[in-house]
Amino acid sequence: MADCKLEAGRMVKDADVIVVGAGLMGAAAARHLAASGVRTCLVGPEEPRDKRSHQGVFASHYDAARITRRLDPSAFWSDVSRASIDRYTELERQSGISFFHETGALMAGPLEGHGAAFLQKTREVATADGIDFVEMDGRALRQKFPFFRFPDEIAAFYEPRGAGYIDPRAHVQAQIAVAQADGARCVGHVAARIDETADGVIIHCQDGTTLRSDRVIVACGAFSGTAGLLPHPVTLDVLARTVVLFEIDAEEAYRLKTMPSVVYVPPGGGSDPYVLPPVRYPDGKTYIKIGGDPEDVTLETQEDVKAWFRGGGDPKVGACLTDMLLAIMPDLRYRSTHLEACVTSYTETGLPLIAAQSPRIIALTGGCGKGAKCADELGRRAAQLALG
């Protein structure tokens, strides 16, 4: 897109609303804006080809699998997830891009003692909102999923429909494809500064490009605190996260073909891991993924965030996660393991920040570890705010 030009003493606007940040939430916001008929522009760089040498910004959707489910101990997260999941099929149809895999999801934890609130609150939310699930005691859990070896006191809620995992890369691609079909423009630059004037908003990109609009949505994830983007600093705890990918062969993938996504609260406390079923990654290999760091490590600066992404995760956390997975899947046959790094951004409330910071600038950030599956609804709400 060319730089803004002056017309009769006024700068021509490139869009009615510009979304800065082309990740899960930003791409969703752009799609909903474009669908409403307003001129929309989405600004954000593509995924770096080589993470280890990349010096620019990163995003956490550079992955092939994130759990999606309606079940949740929080009514808010369940609500926004249901709204997003209900639109998956239509988004796939419109874009021609498949991103949702209905493998089912399992919420596992104790019914009594430490950690019991996880299933208790999940049951309350599901009952109130009419979410269908199958409750399993330890015996039923072993019969249904014999490849798991949870402790005897563990029960589970199984959501067979409308749950499983999404490919976050493909989800973003689907959002952008539909947004472009509705007239949105995409600019592959990094926004360096946003200026608000009486006449509109000016986005200054790192390459010198200048863009102008009536309003802007800033959806930059862990980089939302970049100086000059938002008029008021946002308080985000950006936490380092390590995941372990277990490579399995075709025979093992077939044995685990009925495996659901898993969110697990073990008895006695400690880390609450999550596990993804066999997923074929872009390198052509099939992996089981586990995440759930035992301790929170805060990344204080944006240079820390960049260095963390380049570093590829913490080996000590990787060893802990490996032990966790093999404790509940002791018969897992795998060829090798490797680590990947990502981050999660938490707000002070533990809920996403979708707020007008000024008459023209809206903040959209804070996935809080749960934002991937419900990014479509979070983006829609930000788009509605931008539209007044």
PDB file of all heavy atoms in Angstrom, residues 62 88 168 193 245 297 351:
ATOM      1  N   TYR A  62       2.207 -19.479  15.665  1.00  0.00           N
ATOM      2  CA  TYR A  62       3.072 -20.253  14.777  1.00  0.00           C
ATOM      3  C   TYR A  62       3.102 -21.696  15.281  1.00  0.00           C
ATOM      4  O   TYR A  62       4.059 -22.154  15.909  1.00  0.00           O
ATOM      5  CB  TYR A  62       4.491 -19.683  14.763  1.00  0.00           C
ATOM      6  CG  TYR A  62       4.607 -18.211  14.448  1.00  0.00           C
ATOM      7  CD1 TYR A  62       5.699 -17.470  14.914  1.00  0.00           C
ATOM      8  CD2 TYR A  62       3.656 -17.555  13.684  1.00  0.00           C
ATOM      9  CE1 TYR A  62       5.833 -16.125  14.616  1.00  0.00           C
ATOM     10  CE2 TYR A  62       3.779 -16.202  13.394  1.00  0.00           C
ATOM     11  CZ  TYR A  62       4.877 -15.490  13.871  1.00  0.00           C
ATOM     12  OH  TYR A  62       4.991 -14.155  13.584  1.00  0.00           O
ATOM     13  N   TYR A  88     -17.013 -21.896  13.283  1.00  0.00           N
ATOM     14  CA  TYR A  88     -15.904 -22.582  12.600  1.00  0.00           C
ATOM     15  C   TYR A  88     -16.314 -23.112  11.227  1.00  0.00           C
ATOM     16  O   TYR A  88     -15.617 -22.904  10.226  1.00  0.00           O
ATOM     17  CB  TYR A  88     -15.420 -23.769  13.439  1.00  0.00           C
ATOM     18  CG  TYR A  88     -14.558 -23.460  14.640  1.00  0.00           C
ATOM     19  CD1 TYR A  88     -14.174 -24.490  15.500  1.00  0.00           C
ATOM     20  CD2 TYR A  88     -14.110 -22.169  14.922  1.00  0.00           C
ATOM     21  CE1 TYR A  88     -13.371 -24.247  16.611  1.00  0.00           C
ATOM     22  CE2 TYR A  88     -13.317 -21.919  16.034  1.00  0.00           C
ATOM     23  CZ  TYR A  88     -12.956 -22.966  16.877  1.00  0.00           C
ATOM     24  OH  TYR A  88     -12.165 -22.741  17.972  1.00  0.00           O
ATOM     25  N   PRO A 168      -3.838 -23.216  14.457  1.00  0.00           N
ATOM     26  CA  PRO A 168      -3.916 -21.756  14.567  1.00  0.00           C
ATOM     27  C   PRO A 168      -3.383 -21.019  13.343  1.00  0.00           C
ATOM     28  O   PRO A 168      -3.905 -19.962  12.981  1.00  0.00           O
ATOM     29  CB  PRO A 168      -3.087 -21.446  15.820  1.00  0.00           C
ATOM     30  CG  PRO A 168      -2.205 -22.636  16.001  1.00  0.00           C
ATOM     31  CD  PRO A 168      -2.956 -23.809  15.466  1.00  0.00           C
ATOM     32  N   ARG A 193       4.688   3.149  15.432  1.00  0.00           N
ATOM     33  CA  ARG A 193       4.098   4.220  16.251  1.00  0.00           C
ATOM     34  C   ARG A 193       2.722   4.565  15.725  1.00  0.00           C
ATOM     35  O   ARG A 193       2.470   4.476  14.520  1.00  0.00           O
ATOM     36  CB  ARG A 193       4.992   5.461  16.221  1.00  0.00           C
ATOM     37  CG  ARG A 193       4.576   6.557  17.199  1.00  0.00           C
ATOM     38  CD  ARG A 193       5.516   7.745  17.150  1.00  0.00           C
ATOM     39  NE  ARG A 193       5.145   8.720  16.119  1.00  0.00           N
ATOM     40  CZ  ARG A 193       5.812   8.939  14.998  1.00  0.00           C
ATOM     41  NH1 ARG A 193       6.912   8.221  14.742  1.00  0.00           N
ATOM     42  NH2 ARG A 193       5.420   9.849  14.115  1.00  0.00           N
ATOM     43  N   LEU A 245       7.277 -31.725  21.873  1.00  0.00           N
ATOM     44  CA  LEU A 245       6.668 -32.469  20.771  1.00  0.00           C
ATOM     45  C   LEU A 245       7.290 -33.861  20.716  1.00  0.00           C
ATOM     46  O   LEU A 245       8.516 -33.995  20.571  1.00  0.00           O
ATOM     47  CB  LEU A 245       6.874 -31.738  19.453  1.00  0.00           C
ATOM     48  CG  LEU A 245       6.185 -30.375  19.330  1.00  0.00           C
ATOM     49  CD1 LEU A 245       6.634 -29.661  18.063  1.00  0.00           C
ATOM     50  CD2 LEU A 245       4.681 -30.515  19.336  1.00  0.00           C
ATOM     51  N   VAL A 297       7.519 -17.960  34.492  1.00  0.00           N
ATOM     52  CA  VAL A 297       8.703 -17.120  34.315  1.00  0.00           C
ATOM     53  C   VAL A 297       8.289 -15.926  33.466  1.00  0.00           C
ATOM     54  O   VAL A 297       7.866 -16.088  32.314  1.00  0.00           O
ATOM     55  CB  VAL A 297       9.849 -17.898  33.634  1.00  0.00           C
ATOM     56  CG1 VAL A 297      11.032 -16.967  33.372  1.00  0.00           C
ATOM     57  CG2 VAL A 297      10.270 -19.082  34.490  1.00  0.00           C
ATOM     58  N   LEU A 351      -8.732 -11.902  32.222  1.00  0.00           N
ATOM     59  CA  LEU A 351      -9.665 -11.886  31.099  1.00  0.00           C
ATOM     60  C   LEU A 351      -9.094 -10.999  30.002  1.00  0.00           C
ATOM     61  O   LEU A 351      -8.274 -10.115  30.281  1.00  0.00           O
ATOM     62  CB  LEU A 351     -11.037 -11.356  31.526  1.00  0.00           C
ATOM     63  CG  LEU A 351     -11.768 -12.167  32.594  1.00  0.00           C
ATOM     64  CD1 LEU A 351     -13.044 -11.433  33.024  1.00  0.00           C
ATOM     65  CD2 LEU A 351     -12.100 -13.558  32.083  1.00  0.00           C
TER      66      LEU A 351
END
